[in-house]
Amino acid sequence: MSEARPLLSDVRRRLRVPADWRERLRFHAPDALAWRLLALTFIFTVVVEVLIIAPSAASFHERWLLDRLQSAELASVGVEALPYSAVEDDVAEQLLAIGGVQAVVVGDQGVRRLLLQAPNLPRTPDLIDLREPRPLARILDPWRTLFGHPDRSVRVQARPRYRSGDFMEILAPAEPLKVELQAYLLNSLLMSLLISLVAGGLLYGGLAFLVLQPLRRVTRSIERFALDPEAEGDPPSDRHDEIGRVERELARMQDEVRHSLRSRARLVALGEAVAKINHDLRNMLTSAQIASERLAASPDPVVAKALPRLERALGRAAALSRNVLEYGRSEEPEPQRTRFALAPAVAAAAEDAGLSDEGVRLVKAIPARLPVHVDPDQLHRILVNLMRNARQAIEGDATRVGRKGVVRVSAAAEGGMTVIRVADNGPGIPPRLSERLFDPFVSGHASDGTGLGLTISRELAVSHGGDLALVDTGPDGTTFELRLPD
């Protein structure tokens, strides 16, 4: 384990978050989110209050006008109670002043009667008819009053409440209404700001307690873990909501990553040891093969009988050593893609895989001009491995009597992919192995296989952006499908 500690430190160093990124996380994540939540809460509350103020201003505006109408209606009843509706000028002025209006008109059966005389006006008054429900007009009327001309007057019509007639109409200056409306809106805005501040503060406090503090705790846990994965973090809270689930999942993932880092460090140390042992083993095997070649010249019949078994054993050991070293590489080199015809590449791979007309033969069903755009060396390794596995499976089938072994290779272009199928008429792969066939050190056809060929072949296919899969296996044979992008 002493060798694993520096390797573990190196793994930690590689997985650490850069310092500038940690600073950005530490400064921006909690503070910016808190201020944004506070600002958004305030803005949304103000928007809601503004939406409330608009109809409130319309209601205040209409209520002010109705109050003037009722006062004028009461004044009109008093005027009509006099003989011949005669009213002195000074009395009329007092009645108008009491009602806050400049003129009163009563409409009855299409006849307009002027009860109180209107003064001469510098501008034509605007008509506001409260008898008709016009919501949009009622919303706009207060703003026309606020931003209208200082000499503006309004003619207001409404149905009478205390007397008979079709309508009551008053003429009133808009300036007093404007002053009172400004005061009302100012008070409403101040109250809205106060409500916004209080509501925003309460909402921010709730969010800070329920969301921001747990997020800060999670952020601190991630930062500490990035700095030192071996350091134990704070235990997750007992909350049962989404944040509690996030804390528990984070703690679980951190434990898994710690375990993976320790396992990776041990595997790296073990891999280096295996590489050293494998290197020495290959040297020993080379010496043993040289010795076996010298024994081949011996006339001793016992030696001649045992020599083939020795050579096969040495060959298997050398192949295992070579495959272990090949699989133990940190990564395969990037594919060097070139475009070439597939058919000649399949023929060359079949020759290296040991296929021949005398033994297990190759049957091709490949269009003559079908091209592939892949790394030729890596494709050769994949095809050789698939065809060699097929040949070994056929030759190792003890039940095969009188049947020739065949490996069929077909290919076609399908939707931007080149699909290559390698099928044999061998005994098939046992069901217990078919699901784990691409796992390292799982051999599906021969007891002397290393179980790394298919694993490496699939990695090479994936590095091209394709895949290698077992599509069918059974007593009649096995079929693999290699998909490579054009």
Side-chain angles (χ1 to χ4, degrees):
M1 283 299 295
S2 59
E3 295 184 2
R5 287 173 184 167
L7 293 169
L8 181 57
S9 300
D10 181 66
V11 172
R12 291 179 193 164
R13 178 180 57 81
R14 291 175 181 271
L15 294 180
R16 284 178 183 172
V17 178
D20 58 341
W21 181 248
R22 292 201 303 270
E23 290 301 324
R24 288 199 296 270
L25 280 176
R26 184 177 296 110
F27 177 76
H28 289 285
D31 296 340
L33 181 59
W35 283 109
R36 288 173 185 171
L37 285 176
L38 183 60
L40 286 176
T41 303
F42 175 76
I43 291 172
F44 291 159
T45 309
V46 169
V47 170
V48 171
E49 291 296 329
V50 169
L51 294 177
I52 294 174
I53 284 176
S56 299
S59 177
F60 177 85
H61 190 272
E62 184 175 353
R63 188 167 58 251
W64 191 93
L65 295 176
L66 288 174
D67 289 342
R68 299 302 179 271
L69 276 166
Q70 291 179 7
S71 300
E73 187 175 353
L74 293 175
S76 69
V77 172
V79 169
E80 288 185 334
L82 296 174
Y84 306 104
S85 299
V87 179
E88 298 293 336
D89 292 340
D90 54 347
V91 176
E93 290 178 0
Q94 291 177 4
L95 291 174
L96 293 174
I98 293 173
V101 297
Q102 295 173 321
V104 178
V105 176
V106 176
D108 190 7
Q109 297 180 356
V111 178
R112 293 171 55 90
R113 288 187 298 134
L114 182 63
L115 299 183
L116 298 175
Q117 184 63 41
N120 294 325
L121 300 176
R123 297 174 59 87
T124 302
D126 297 331
L127 175 62
I128 299 178
D129 192 348
L130 299 180
R131 294 174 298 174
E132 300 178 3
R134 299 171 60 189
L136 182 59
R138 299 291 86 81
I139 294 291
L140 296 177
D141 284 341
W143 312 108
R144 295 171 60 189
T145 299
L146 282 176
F147 301 104
H149 196 275
D151 297 331
R152 178 174 178 263
S153 299
V154 291
R155 288 173 52 210
V156 185
Q157 293 180 353
R159 291 185 177 88
R161 297 182 60 183
Y162 306 110
R163 55 167 299 150
S164 61
D166 296 335
F167 65 88
M168 285 287 302
E169 178 180 314
I170 63 171
L171 180 65
E175 191 63 23
L177 173 58
K178 180 178 180 180
V179 173
E180 294 189 28
L181 185 60
Q182 287 175 342
Y184 172 80
L185 290 177
L186 180 60
N187 293 333
S188 299
L189 287 176
L190 292 177
M191 184 61 66
S192 299
L193 289 175
L194 179 61
I195 294 175
S196 300
L197 291 175
V198 173
L202 292 176
L203 184 57
Y204 172 75
L207 290 174
F209 176 74
L210 295 175
V211 179
L212 293 179
Q213 287 185 0
L215 284 180
R216 291 191 183 105
R217 186 165 59 248
V218 170
T219 303
R220 286 194 298 269
S221 176
I222 294 174
E223 290 175 348
R224 284 197 299 268
F225 183 79
L227 291 172
D228 186 6
E230 289 297 317
E232 293 294 333
D234 297 332
S237 64
D238 297 331
R239 297 175 56 161
H240 299 287
D241 55 6
E242 287 79 2
I243 293 181
R245 291 169 56 190
V246 167
E247 291 179 334
R248 288 189 290 274
E249 287 297 317
L250 176 62
R252 182 184 62 80
M253 287 189 292
Q254 288 177 344
D255 290 339
E256 291 180 356
V257 171
R258 289 191 190 97
H259 179 72
S260 300
L261 289 176
R262 294 174 188 139
S263 299
R264 181 176 176 181
R266 287 193 293 269
L267 289 175
V268 170
L270 180 61
E272 290 186 351
V274 169
K276 294 177 182 178
I277 295 172
N278 206 32
H279 181 268
D280 295 338
L281 179 61
R282 291 187 66 185
N283 292 336
M284 297 176 189
L285 290 174
T286 301
S287 300
Q289 285 178 330
I290 294 174
S292 68
E293 292 175 358
R294 293 177 180 176
L295 287 175
S298 174
D300 190 342
V302 177
V303 174
K305 184 178 179 180
L307 188 60
R309 294 175 58 192
L310 175 62
E311 290 178 344
R312 287 196 298 271
L314 291 175
R316 289 195 298 268
L320 175 61
S321 176
R322 181 176 61 255
N323 287 336
V324 168
L325 280 179
E326 188 175 8
Y327 180 73
R329 294 176 184 172
S330 59
E331 60 180 4
E332 290 286 346
E334 287 293 325
Q336 304 298 318
R337 301 173 185 267
T338 57
R339 185 171 293 276
F340 56 93
L342 178 60
V346 171
E351 183 178 355
D352 289 349
L355 302 184
S356 63
D357 294 337
E358 294 77 17
V360 179
R361 63 189 181 91
L362 171 69
V363 175
K364 293 189 297 181
I366 303 174
R369 296 184 179 181
L370 179 65
V372 288
H373 187 223
V374 296
D375 187 309
D377 294 333
Q378 294 186 2
L379 177 62
H380 183 80
R381 289 168 60 188
I382 297 173
L383 294 176
V384 168
N385 181 73
L386 293 175
M387 287 188 276
R388 183 191 294 121
N389 287 351
R391 177 182 62 78
Q392 291 176 352
I394 293 172
E395 293 175 348
D397 184 11
T399 62
R400 175 179 296 275
V401 177
R403 286 191 302 161
K404 285 288 187 180
V406 175
V407 176
R408 294 182 175 84
V409 180
S410 61
E414 297 180 3
M417 304 286 287
T418 301
V419 181
I420 305 172
R421 287 176 173 257
V422 179
D424 62 65
N425 60 348
I429 299 172
R432 62 185 179 84
L433 295 177
S434 59
E435 296 181 358
R436 303 171 48 241
L437 194 60
F438 293 97
D439 293 346
F441 305 105
V442 175
S443 178
H445 60 80
S447 60
D448 60 347
T450 63
L452 292 173
L454 288 176
T455 304
I456 296 172
S457 297
R458 190 177 207 175
E459 290 181 355
L460 294 176
V462 171
S463 69
H464 281 80
D467 194 14
L468 175 64
L470 173 67
V471 296
D472 185 36
T473 186
D476 296 330
T478 301
T479 303
F480 286 90
E481 184 178 270
L482 173 64
R483 303 180 68 88
L484 298 171
D486 287 342

